[in-house]
Amino acid sequence: MLAGLVFFVMRWGTLAVMYLHVHVPRFDSGGAFWYLLWDQAMLALLLGNVTTLAVVGLRAGYAQFPFLVPLPLFVMAFRARAEYRFAGPSRRLPWEWAKALDRREGCLADGFRPDL
């Protein structure tokens, strides 16, 4: 147990030094990474639902199959709705306007009570 504590304390110190002094970001994608992450997350969720549908259909029989068919459809509908609602405005909002909106709304953590 002591060896584990020493390992994680040394690891934490090493990573802290690396992030503060070694890691220097030299590339800014302008948020394009998040669109790729969104697409990959939705694809993973869809494939996970299809896999679950296939495994349950093959292993547990066909009694549950009609009730599981809507799962992939819900994922596709959610993705379409989210992209319709948020993709266009998020790609067209200039960076300066986004910073101004963030400043105007204030810090979200200020609304939490610390006594909880």
Side-chain angles (χ1 to χ4, degrees):
M1 186 161 151
L2 181 63
L5 176 69
V6 170
F7 170 76
F8 283 108
V9 167
M10 289 179 60
R11 182 176 181 265
W12 175 77
T14 303
L15 289 176
V17 169
M18 284 178 56
Y19 288 141
L20 289 175
H21 302 290
V22 176
H23 178 70
V24 179
R26 296 184 183 165
F27 177 74
D28 184 14
S29 65
F33 169 74
W34 298 110
Y35 300 110
L36 177 65
L37 180 68
W38 166 259
D39 289 339
Q40 295 296 319
M42 288 294 107
L43 180 65
L45 186 60
L46 181 66
L47 291 177
N49 282 331
V50 169
T51 303
T52 301
L53 185 67
V55 168
V56 169
L58 291 174
R59 295 262 178 161
Y62 298 104
Q64 296 90 356
F65 192 75
F67 298 105
L68 294 175
V69 169
L71 287 177
L73 301 175
F74 287 150
V75 172
M76 291 187 291
F78 172 71
R79 180 177 185 213
R81 173 67 179 153
E83 286 185 359
Y84 171 76
R85 175 73 174 88
F86 298 112
S90 71
R91 291 181 196 260
R92 290 190 306 262
L93 186 65
W95 185 60
E96 295 296 328
W97 290 9
K99 285 192 332 187
L101 286 171
D102 286 343
R103 274 194 225 106
R104 186 178 70 197
E105 291 182 7
C107 183
L108 192 61
D110 293 339
F112 294 114
R113 295 189 332 223
D115 59 342
L116 293 178

